[in-house]
Amino acid sequence: MSARILVVDDIEANRRLLQAKLEAHYFNVLHAENGKQALDLARTELPDIILLDVMMPGMDGYEVCQRLKADARTSYIPVVMVTALNDTEDRIRGLEVGAEDFLTKPVDDFALMSRVGALMRYNAVASELRQRQASGLKAGAVEAISEEELNRAARAFVIDDNPRTSARVASMLRDAGHSATTLLEAGDMSNLSEMGVDILILSASSKAFDALKLCAHFRMTESTRAISMLLICDPADRSKAGRGLEIGANDVIFAPVDRQELLARVRTQTRRSRYIDMLRKRVDRGLELSVIDQLTGLYNRRYMVGQVQQLMQRSIMGGKPVSVVTCDIDHFKSVNDTYGHDVGDEVLQEVASRLMENVRPMDVVCRPGGEEFLVIMPDTPGDLACAAGERIRRAVASRPFSVSGGRREITLTVSAGVATIRGHDDTMADLLKRADTALYQAKSGGRNRVESIAA
């Protein structure tokens, strides 16, 4: 997996050095020698990752990063601050303006490639979700991603068989406001998902267990797959650190653990995992908005059309017949006119509920619009569809509708029309038109009845 990386540094030798390191691993490298050039390139080229020097004349790296994150076109591009400064305040400032990570000069090859590799894996997931979100959210707006939620204190679980180092890491996290539980305190690792753990911190030096096997296990297990993993390694054992990243660890930190680096790594990984989780929820919500009627919770017309077409095609290809039952609430306009639209909405919701109670799990219940409902019945001949229509009619007419918080009861009925696929030449438009014709006959015949044009 390759990527385009923008290297920003006012010193050409530094740019060339990073370029050589990255191109040796087949990355495509772009150059910028100052802040303005970096912003212009970021907007036009949209690189996958930006390596940004902090100390530059004119516009420093902090300001560049802040501007990148404020621009919707570039806000999602991960920024790694590259600095000769090792002060805690400088690192914190970089994170505060939106940087995802940092590297200290002189840049270590392993640190560079592990950070870039982790960001590439993150980018691959985030990019796909953003694309799905862009195509799936046209049906309506969803809530914005919350910075407060992204920055909420982490829940960490420390896996280390050494009581002293385990307690030290947990203490660092707790002092910074995070929640930390050690394996030695918990006794086992059976309830990680129930505990709401955001990040696992594993010591590769532990003797009682193989940290890399645990990484593989957690990554393959459904309940722990989304949890971030930070591996603590001996600096002399870089091959194990590299292997850990290949197996599934999100990041590596070397012993002895520096407090500020630990906090920065935990913050970065927790933010990334939460961002991915929020994107997934937004995509799911967008898909729901595109196919679900928000008042009743039934499928909408858009979904109905796709399902009817798909099931008719399956029937034409040799499957069993498909039938539809279209239902319409009798005299619904008078409900709205007499009691108001709020009561009308309650009635629609209750009709939807009674419909769902009287169909099979395989049936697809939709609300195409207004007071009309439609049940798609796979593998169902006309006589069975008529029986289902009659069952629905009785369920609606059998007891009054309690509305206005139980202060009022309304007696209502529905009329229904049934149609069944007629053969290879039948179309969705024809099928639905026959169902509407049958419905009209039920209305004309006195309402509160089921009519069929099944064959």
Side-chain angles (χ1 to χ4, degrees), residues 139 284-304 365-367:
D284 290 343
R285 179 61 174 157
L287 291 173
E288 179 183 305
L289 285 170
S290 71
V291 299
I292 298 295
D293 170 54
Q294 296 305 295
L295 177 63
T296 62
L298 302 179
Y299 291 111
N300 61 17
R301 176 177 290 277
R302 176 181 180 181
Y303 186 82
M304 179 194 83
V365 184
C366 311
R367 181 191 172 213

Side-chain angles (χ1 to χ4, degrees), residues 246-265:
E246 291 174 3
I247 288 173
N250 299 88
D251 205 350
V252 169
I253 188 171
F254 290 110
V257 174
D258 174 78
R259 177 179 181 275
Q260 288 305 321
E261 184 170 7
L262 172 68
L263 297 180
R265 300 282 171 229

Side-chain angles (χ1 to χ4, degrees), residues 239-380:
S239 61
K240 177 177 278 191
R243 185 67 179 139
L245 291 169
E246 291 174 3
I247 288 173
N250 299 88
D251 205 350
V252 169
I253 188 171
F254 290 110
V257 174
D258 174 78
R259 177 179 181 275
Q260 288 305 321
E261 184 170 7
L262 172 68
L263 297 180
R265 300 282 171 229
V266 167
R267 176 188 182 276
T268 296
Q269 293 305 324
T270 303
R271 278 179 61 89
R272 286 179 194 167
S273 62
R274 287 175 181 166
Y275 178 71
I276 293 296
D277 184 55
M278 289 179 190
L279 275 179
R280 284 199 175 103
K281 288 178 179 176
R282 284 165 63 109
V283 168
D284 290 343
R285 179 61 174 157
L287 291 173
E288 179 183 305
L289 285 170
S290 71
V291 299
I292 298 295
D293 170 54
Q294 296 305 295
L295 177 63
T296 62
L298 302 179
Y299 291 111
N300 61 17
R301 176 177 290 277
R302 176 181 180 181
Y303 186 82
M304 179 194 83
V305 168
Q307 286 297 295
V308 172
Q309 289 175 331
Q310 180 179 325
L311 290 169
M312 287 187 72
Q313 186 62 32
R314 190 175 77 180
S315 179
I316 289 169
M317 297 288 288
K320 295 180 180 178
V322 59
S323 295
V324 296
V325 180
T326 183
C327 305
D328 190 273
I329 303 173
D330 297 326
H331 303 297
F332 181 72
K333 183 177 183 300
S334 67
V335 174
N336 281 334
D337 292 344
T338 304
Y339 304 107
H341 288 279
D342 288 346
V343 169
D345 287 349
E346 289 185 63
V347 167
L348 291 169
Q349 290 169 336
E350 178 61 21
V351 169
S353 176
R354 295 189 192 187
L355 275 167
M356 291 299 295
E357 290 170 359
N358 287 277
V359 297
R360 305 165 300 181
M362 66 191 290
D363 297 330
V364 182
V365 184
C366 311
R367 181 191 172 213
E371 65 269 30
E372 183 182 349
F373 298 83
L374 186 133
V375 183
I376 308 169
M377 306 190 71
D379 303 341
T380 306

Side-chain angles (χ1 to χ4, degrees), residues 50 101 162 260 271 319 394 400:
I50 299 174
D101 217 326
N162 185 313
Q260 288 305 321
R271 278 179 61 89
R394 288 198 305 268

Side-chain angles (χ1 to χ4, degrees), residues 183-234:
L183 174 59
L184 297 176
E185 293 166 345
D188 61 42
M189 297 174 275
S190 60
N191 296 313
L192 295 177
S193 58
E194 289 83 354
M195 292 168 63
V197 172
D198 295 302
I199 185 165
L200 297 168
I201 302 174
L202 302 94
S203 171
S205 303
S206 297
K207 307 296 183 191
F209 53 81
D210 186 330
L212 299 193
K213 284 186 178 179
L214 279 179
C215 280
H217 169 74
F218 290 138
R219 197 53 79 215
M220 289 187 296
T221 302
E222 182 65 30
S223 61
T224 56
R225 184 172 296 156
I227 300 176
S228 293
M229 290 186 285
L230 176 62
L231 194 62
I232 302 176
C233 290
D234 188 317

